[in-house]
Amino acid sequence: MSRDFNRVILMGRLARDPEVRFTPSKQKVARFTLCTGRQWKNKVTGELQSHTDFITVTAWSFTADLLERYVKKGSQILVEGRISTRDYDDVKTGQHKWVTEVVAENIVLLGSPRRDGDQSGSYQQQNYGGQQPYQHQAQQQSDAMPAPDMGSLRNEGGFDDGFPLDFSELGGGADQSGDVEIPF
Amino acid sequence: MSRDFNRVILMGRLARDPEVRFTPSKQKVARFTLCTGRQWKNKVTGELQSHTDFITVTAWSFTADLLERYVKKGSQILVEGRISTRDYDDVKTGQHKWVTEVVAENIVLLGSPRRDGDQSGSYQQQNYGGQQPYQHQAQQQSDAMPAPDMGSLRNEGGFDDGFPLDFSELGGGADQSGDVEIPF
Amino acid sequence: MSRDFNRVILMGRLARDPEVRFTPSKQKVARFTLCTGRQWKNKVTGELQSHTDFITVTAWSFTADLLERYVKKGSQILVEGRISTRDYDDVKTGQHKWVTEVVAENIVLLGSPRRDGDQSGSYQQQNYGGQQPYQHQAQQQSDAMPAPDMGSLRNEGGFDDGFPLDFSELGGGADQSGDVEIPF
Amino acid sequence: MSRDFNRVILMGRLARDPEVRFTPSKQKVARFTLCTGRQWKNKVTGELQSHTDFITVTAWSFTADLLERYVKKGSQILVEGRISTRDYDDVKTGQHKWVTEVVAENIVLLGSPRRDGDQSGSYQQQNYGGQQPYQHQAQQQSDAMPAPDMGSLRNEGGFDDGFPLDFSELGGGADQSGDVEIPF
DNA sequence: TTTT
DNA sequence: TTTT
């Protein structure tokens, strides 16, 4: 069964702020929907068409911490992970249901959400626990800085300018997503 | 919306024979479930655990033709594609439902199913329309040939020994998966 | 031979402006070096270390047009492609040499280079044939626009806000990278 | 620097047996050339053309152990990794040289080489240190087993039937490829 | 020959 | 220096 391979690479924007929960065994899980757009020309009529895929993504422990801290509705990120499926009995309807989602194993932060109207306001209010993320710096000098991209956050790697170099204060622990009840 | 990216690469085995249908506009679609296994050691107890993901895959036109001809329950394949989501109203239950599946854009055939018991029998019976696929040859000399792998079938590419080099007799037409009702 | 698979996905920044040339048969080729950074903590000393990979990327026809128009030194892009190797005899040294490079089959434009000093100046001078690219707009209103990302440019797809929706005026022609002498 | 991404997925066959060496700091490294074939139809003449890419792959510690034990000339494998570049001064010619290679982070074993003539013989002779690999079992019952594929060997995962479930006796240690002199 |  |  393990001569198999399962790899997903997605780049898009969050449909909403990530939702963070804990499993009974205290594992942190973040969950969000990633929007991925696609355009094509209709072969017959020639008109331009488009579709957005809304992909459910789940992240654990360290990666969940990072999402919770630095990512919100509208953030552009790259997700590397795998497709995961599971089934359960929906107690409300009595139906047996299947869920297909992406488990993020690695995330690269690419850009802040568009700031238009109050979206921007709610953003500034946010408290990042004493650490000024790169993104925040960028805003302060936004007239000079053209690319308010966020740095990259890899589990195994180091980190960019505006970001803390040491994430050891963040919840560690390995991805035990396979061993554990998913609280969504 | 199209500064986005959506790429999936899977390798596994078919849970069942592919199911082939046509859209109202006569587009051929193949659909199947790909089994992808995964193992890991429980970090606490140390015991080996495993899980299989059952991933729904859909393929169009040319790729659907190839699946229909050369792939069956148990076949090992590599799928390159994208994650696609769609929603619909389930007329039976009145519920609004979301579907997440993989659209195959490229397929590599890797191996035949295990032949044990009657599985093998049903295999031999199959008729490949006059062309002897590589896989079939391999069976005839299975005592001598250790690797009854199938060749690779790429939309843009050429093809391996046992396979026909010219697929022009196969149903052509481009992937119009975005323009079309999905008949599943 | 073709039960094989070869896929590369890179995200980084251009070390220099792309260089554009033509093959004897008038195929347009663009070539550039993509910088991809990586950090890790030394397992023994614990100190943070980093390395940059300088990856040669080559693009053909339509993709070469897009690179020539919209991408320059410092631009952040995602490249999807394949690894390609070739050998030749270096007439100067008489040595036989091997080249490993990435052939881009798909490109997503992510961000403009940092504008500091004259870099910005030379940027503004550039003429985009009457069409104002998204990136250019972003500069003009950079105090209001937080995310001067560029749209996505896929061969098969449509395109984003600031970008032209119809690239038919761009040099067409398919990628014939396999049939042709590489003029670098 | 680390808003970057670098991912490679290759499937092909080994051009030769892997070569294993040690760094001055006793890190084990395996190196081999992976052959990846590709076919296409010439757009003008319509004739089928083909090319093989010969890609240098490097693997460390645990993955190097697995390659050393279970993989040889002709073996079919899937490699997941990253592109790595480095430069050095060739003391013999006095030239400055650039090397582009793939660092394998994950490997899936897919198939044994074809056994024809003495190739088969040398294969049987091989000693796997007391452990019977899946592949070996497969040979013994090759008349009944149609798919003598090898199992999957992932750093983080568990393992398939014929393979040992516990690789703890293998040289552990993390990939320190970034910190270390490469002895090739 | 290297980007941020 | 190349595999099937």
Side-chain angles (χ1 to χ4, degrees):
Chain A
M1 198 57 95
S2 60
R3 48 201 102 196
D4 296 346
F5 188 75
N6 183 336
R7 174 59 68 228
V8 175
I9 295 158
L10 303 171
M11 191 164 62
R13 306 191 96 104
L14 291 242
R16 312 188 50 168
D17 288 354
E19 188 181 356
V20 175
R21 295 198 190 167
F22 288 85
T23 67
S25 59
K26 312 297 183 219
Q27 295 280 315
K28 185 186 275 191
V29 212
R31 210 163 95 128
F32 60 90
T33 297
L34 193 74
C35 299
T36 286
R38 183 160 55 84
Q39 286 83 10
W40 69 98
K41 231 177 216 158
N42 184 294
K43 291 271 164 57
V44 181
T45 68
E47 62 185 324
L48 197 65
Q49 296 183 261
S50 69
H51 176 78
T52 299
D53 295 301
F54 299 95
I55 301 166
T56 301
V57 182
T58 264
W60 296 81
S61 66
F62 186 85
T63 310
D65 288 332
L66 296 172
L67 286 163
E68 187 179 28
R69 275 208 190 183
Y70 300 114
V71 170
K72 61 192 293 282
K73 178 180 177 177
S75 295
Q76 186 190 23
I77 66 174
L78 182 146
V79 171
E80 183 182 28
R82 62 174 195 270
I83 296 182
S84 176
T85 65
R86 56 193 166 94
D87 57 336
Y88 66 96
D89 292 308
D90 185 334
V91 289
K92 288 177 193 158
T93 66
Q95 289 179 314
H96 191 72
K97 288 188 173 169
W98 279 90
V99 176
T100 298
E101 55 204 353
V102 168
V103 176
E105 291 166 345
N106 183 16
I107 278 178
V108 181
L109 307 191
L110 285 163
S112 50
R114 312 250 155 180
R115 288 168 304 150
D116 36 40
D118 57 4
Q119 189 124 324
S120 155
S122 73
Y123 198 39
Q124 313 247 50
Q125 271 165 234
Q126 228 177 296
N127 185 324
Y128 292 99
Q131 279 163 329
Q132 299 292 86
Y134 178 79
Q135 188 183 39
H136 201 78
Q137 293 182 266
Q139 273 180 259
Q140 291 171 323
Q141 38 175 164
S142 64
D143 52 337
M145 295 279 291
D149 296 346
M150 300 170 79
S152 156
L153 302 174
R154 305 199 59 162
N155 275 350
E156 323 82 12
F159 300 93
D160 200 90
D161 347 6
F163 278 102
L165 286 184
D166 188 356
F167 281 93
S168 50
E169 86 287 356
L170 288 187
D175 168 0
Q176 302 204 339
S177 58
D179 291 322
V180 125
E181 279 298 291
I182 292 162
F184 291 99
Chain B
M1 198 58 92
S2 59
R3 49 201 102 198
D4 296 345
F5 187 75
N6 183 334
R7 174 59 65 230
V8 175
I9 296 158
L10 303 171
M11 192 165 62
R13 305 190 97 104
L14 293 241
R16 313 187 48 165
D17 289 355
E19 186 182 357
V20 176
R21 297 199 189 165
F22 287 86
T23 67
S25 58
K26 312 293 182 225
Q27 295 282 313
K28 185 187 276 193
V29 211
R31 210 162 96 128
F32 60 90
T33 298
L34 192 74
C35 298
T36 285
R38 184 160 53 85
Q39 285 84 9
W40 69 98
K41 232 178 215 158
N42 184 293
K43 290 273 163 58
V44 181
T45 67
E47 61 185 325
L48 198 65
Q49 296 183 260
S50 68
H51 176 78
T52 298
D53 296 300
F54 298 95
I55 302 167
T56 301
V57 181
T58 262
W60 296 80
S61 64
F62 186 85
T63 310
D65 288 332
L66 295 173
L67 286 162
E68 188 179 26
R69 273 206 192 187
Y70 301 114
V71 171
K72 60 191 292 279
K73 179 178 176 178
S75 296
Q76 187 191 22
I77 65 174
L78 182 147
V79 171
E80 182 181 30
R82 61 174 197 271
I83 296 182
S84 176
T85 65
R86 57 194 167 90
D87 57 334
Y88 66 96
D89 292 307
D90 185 333
V91 290
K92 287 177 194 157
T93 66
Q95 291 179 315
H96 191 72
K97 288 189 172 167
W98 279 92
V99 175
T100 298
E101 55 203 354
V102 167
V103 177
E105 292 166 345
N106 184 16
I107 279 177
V108 181
L109 307 192
L110 285 162
S112 50
R114 311 248 157 182
R115 289 168 303 149
D116 36 42
D118 58 5
Q119 191 124 323
S120 155
S122 73
Y123 197 40
Q124 313 247 48
Q125 273 164 235
Q126 227 178 299
N127 185 324
Y128 293 99
Q131 280 163 330
Q132 298 292 86
Y134 178 79
Q135 189 183 38
H136 201 78
Q137 294 182 264
Q139 273 181 255
Q140 291 171 323
Q141 39 178 166
S142 65
D143 51 338
M145 296 278 292
D149 297 345
M150 300 170 78
S152 156
L153 303 173
R154 306 198 60 161
N155 276 349
E156 324 84 10
F159 301 91
D160 199 272
D161 351 4
F163 279 105
L165 287 182
D166 188 356
F167 281 90
S168 51
E169 87 288 353
L170 288 187
D175 168 1
Q176 302 205 340
S177 58
D179 292 322
V180 126
E181 280 298 292
I182 293 162
F184 291 100
Chain C
M1 193 64 88
S2 58
R3 49 200 102 194
D4 296 345
F5 188 74
N6 183 336
R7 175 59 66 227
V8 175
I9 295 159
L10 304 171
M11 191 163 62
R13 307 190 95 105
L14 290 242
R16 312 186 50 167
D17 289 354
E19 187 182 357
V20 176
R21 296 200 190 165
F22 288 85
T23 68
S25 58
K26 312 296 184 219
Q27 295 280 314
K28 186 187 276 194
V29 211
R31 207 161 98 128
F32 58 90
T33 297
L34 193 73
C35 298
T36 286
R38 183 160 55 84
Q39 284 85 9
W40 69 98
K41 233 176 216 159
N42 184 294
K43 291 269 161 59
V44 182
T45 69
E47 59 185 327
L48 198 65
Q49 295 182 262
S50 69
H51 176 79
T52 299
D53 295 301
F54 298 98
I55 302 166
T56 301
V57 182
T58 263
W60 295 80
S61 66
F62 186 85
T63 310
D65 288 333
L66 296 172
L67 286 163
E68 187 179 28
R69 273 206 192 188
Y70 300 114
V71 170
K72 60 193 290 282
K73 179 179 178 178
S75 295
Q76 187 191 22
I77 66 175
L78 182 146
V79 171
E80 183 182 30
R82 63 174 195 271
I83 296 181
S84 176
T85 64
R86 57 193 166 91
D87 57 335
Y88 66 96
D89 292 308
D90 185 333
V91 288
K92 286 177 196 160
T93 66
Q95 290 178 315
H96 191 70
K97 288 188 174 168
W98 279 91
V99 175
T100 297
E101 55 204 353
V102 168
V103 176
E105 291 166 344
N106 183 18
I107 278 177
V108 182
L109 307 191
L110 286 163
S112 50
R114 311 253 157 174
R115 287 168 304 147
D116 37 40
D118 57 4
Q119 190 123 324
S120 157
S122 72
Y123 199 40
Q124 312 246 51
Q125 272 164 236
Q126 229 178 299
N127 186 322
Y128 293 99
Q131 279 163 329
Q132 299 292 85
Y134 179 77
Q135 187 184 38
H136 200 81
Q137 291 181 268
Q139 275 181 255
Q140 291 171 324
Q141 38 175 167
S142 64
D143 52 336
M145 294 279 291
D149 297 346
M150 301 171 79
S152 157
L153 302 173
R154 304 198 58 160
N155 277 349
E156 323 80 14
F159 301 93
D160 199 88
D161 350 5
F163 278 103
L165 287 183
D166 188 355
F167 281 91
S168 51
E169 86 287 354
L170 288 186
D175 169 0
Q176 302 203 339
S177 57
D179 291 322
V180 126
E181 278 298 292
I182 292 163
F184 291 99
Chain D
M1 195 63 89
S2 58
R3 47 200 105 197
D4 297 345
F5 187 75
N6 183 336
R7 175 58 66 229
V8 174
I9 295 158
L10 303 172
M11 192 164 62
R13 306 190 97 106
L14 292 244
R16 313 186 49 166
D17 289 354
E19 186 181 356
V20 176
R21 296 198 190 167
F22 289 85
T23 68
S25 58
K26 313 296 182 219
Q27 296 280 314
K28 186 188 275 193
V29 212
R31 209 161 96 129
F32 59 90
T33 297
L34 193 73
C35 298
T36 286
R38 184 161 54 86
Q39 284 84 9
W40 69 98
K41 232 177 214 160
N42 184 294
K43 290 274 164 56
V44 182
T45 67
E47 60 184 325
L48 197 66
Q49 296 182 260
S50 70
H51 176 79
T52 299
D53 296 299
F54 298 97
I55 302 167
T56 301
V57 182
T58 262
W60 296 80
S61 65
F62 185 86
T63 310
D65 287 333
L66 296 172
L67 286 162
E68 188 179 25
R69 275 207 192 187
Y70 300 115
V71 171
K72 60 192 291 280
K73 179 177 177 179
S75 296
Q76 186 191 23
I77 65 174
L78 182 147
V79 171
E80 183 182 28
R82 61 173 196 271
I83 295 181
S84 176
T85 65
R86 57 193 166 93
D87 57 335
Y88 66 96
D89 292 308
D90 185 333
V91 289
K92 286 177 195 158
T93 66
Q95 290 179 316
H96 192 71
K97 289 191 173 166
W98 279 91
V99 175
T100 298
E101 55 203 353
V102 168
V103 176
E105 291 165 346
N106 184 17
I107 278 177
V108 181
L109 307 192
L110 286 162
S112 50
R114 310 252 158 177
R115 289 169 302 149
D116 36 41
D118 57 3
Q119 190 124 325
S120 157
S122 73
Y123 200 37
Q124 313 246 52
Q125 273 165 235
Q126 226 176 302
N127 185 325
Y128 293 99
Q131 280 163 328
Q132 298 293 86
Y134 178 79
Q135 188 183 36
H136 201 80
Q137 290 183 269
Q139 275 182 255
Q140 291 171 323
Q141 41 177 165
S142 64
D143 51 336
M145 297 277 292
D149 297 346
M150 300 172 78
S152 156
L153 302 174
R154 306 198 59 163
N155 276 348
E156 322 84 13
F159 301 91
D160 199 274
D161 352 3
F163 278 104
L165 287 183
D166 187 356
F167 281 92
S168 51
E169 86 289 352
L170 288 187
D175 169 358
Q176 302 205 341
S177 58
D179 291 323
V180 125
E181 279 298 293
I182 292 161
F184 291 99

